Amino acid sequence: MRVEGVTEFAQLLLHDSGSRYQLNTLIANGRSDQNVNLPNRIPVALHYLTAWPNGQGDVVFREDIYHRDAALLAALKAV
């Protein structure tokens, strides 16, 4: 999964869960694949977008790298 603003996201998860971990300490450890058990569960909503408006209001399309668009289009046509 790709995350925009991953450092800010990690900091929010640590803070909002009441974790005792400090992000700067985890980063200083030098490993990019650390597992950290949070003391409280935090719900996270994932959004997968292949089209969105740009600054001029035009719709911009990107490649559907996870191949989800076909199922979505089929579901919309079935309605």
Side-chain angles (χ1 to χ4, degrees):
M1 165 172 78
R2 298 177 194 154
V3 177
E4 183 176 333
V6 69
T7 303
E8 294 83 4
F9 181 59
Q11 184 62 51
L12 285 171
L13 288 175
L14 292 173
H15 179 267
D16 290 355
S17 70
S19 175
R20 61 179 172 76
Y21 291 101
Q22 295 297 315
L23 185 59
N24 56 351
T25 304
L26 294 170
I27 291 172
N29 198 7
R31 291 183 41 217
S32 63
D33 63 346
Q34 297 178 65
N35 289 322
V36 175
N37 293 321
L38 301 176
N40 296 304
R41 295 179 71 118
I42 303 290
V44 175
L46 301 177
H47 298 271
Y48 176 66
L49 303 173
T50 56
W52 59 88
N54 65 14
Q56 293 75 40
D58 300 318
V59 178
V60 177
F61 294 91
R62 297 284 189 243
E63 181 183 357
D64 177 22
I65 61 172
Y66 298 112
H67 309 288
R68 303 272 186 195
D69 282 351
L72 175 61
L73 289 171
L76 288 172
K77 290 177 182 177
V79 174

